[in-house]
């Protein structure tokens, strides 16, 4: 099974920085668009950032200038660098792929998910 796993969440003071990571051990996502969502305590979900197959990135207006989304060159790990954090950034950060994403290992073993691959999330708390 291909399971995205996020890491890097923590409790930090306002103004601090964190770098989140997202990967599925051994799999690359060269054929997939990838996104970061955040889910607040009230269960509202917000699209924070995206990176497309060709590397084009986008960020929500309320994080532009503070957050940066990137991938490693093998497209196995998705990152979200978050700077100048505020209490409003407190949320569970979840990474996901587009529907129909196909993830493959270096050995050529591939899996496709009609609903896309999703992580469980990592908690970011800013006080």
């Amino acid at each position: 099974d291909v399971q995205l796993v996020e890491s890097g969440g923590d409790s930090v003071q306002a103004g601090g920085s964190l770098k989140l990571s997202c990967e599925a051990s051994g799999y690359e996502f060269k054929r997939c668009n990838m996104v970061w969502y955040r889910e607040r305590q009230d269960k509202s979900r917000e699209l924070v950032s995206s990176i497309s197959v060709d590397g084009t990135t986008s960020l929500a207006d309320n994080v532009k200038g503070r957050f940066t989304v990137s991938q490693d060159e093998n497209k196995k790990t998705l990152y979200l660098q978050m700077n100048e954090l505020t209490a409003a950034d407190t949320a569970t950060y979840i990474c996901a792929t587009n529907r129909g994403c196909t993830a493959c290992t270096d050995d050529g073993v591939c899996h496709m998910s009609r609903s896309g691959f999703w992580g469980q999330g990592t908690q970011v708390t800013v006080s």
Side-chain angles (χ1 to χ4, degrees), residues 80-93:
L80 185 67
Q81 175 67 48
M82 307 188 296
N83 301 324
E84 300 175 33
L85 287 161
T86 72
D89 297 315
T90 294
T92 298
Y93 285 72

Side-chain angles (χ1 to χ4, degrees), residues 14-115:
S17 298
L18 286 173
K19 186 172 185 177
L20 307 183
S21 299
C22 168
E23 63 182 352
S25 182
Y27 285 88
E28 51 85 355
F29 297 88
K30 295 178 181 177
R31 302 159 187 78
C32 307
N33 302 319
M34 299 192 76
V35 299
W36 284 101
Y37 288 102
R38 60 187 179 189
E39 187 173 279
R40 293 192 172 82
Q41 214 164 4
D42 63 3
K43 299 302 181 184
S44 61
R45 184 175 288 178
E46 176 187 16
L47 178 63
V48 176
S49 67
S50 66
I51 186 164
S52 64
V53 172
D54 67 2
T56 301
T57 62
S58 68
L59 294 163
D61 287 343
N62 57 4
V63 304
K64 281 180 182 176
R66 300 187 299 123
F67 290 13
T68 304
V69 62
S70 63
Q71 282 179 301
D72 70 313
E73 63 178 29
N74 295 317
K75 297 205 173 184
K76 290 185 175 181
T77 307
L78 177 70
Y79 300 104
L80 185 67
Q81 175 67 48
M82 307 188 296
N83 301 324
E84 300 175 33
L85 287 161
T86 72
D89 297 315
T90 294
T92 298
Y93 285 72
I94 302 165
C95 66
T97 71
N98 57 284
R99 295 178 181 179
C101 167
T102 298
C104 300
T105 67
D106 291 340
D107 296 333
V109 176
C110 297
H111 296 277
M112 189 275 285
S113 172
R114 291 182 180 178
S115 60

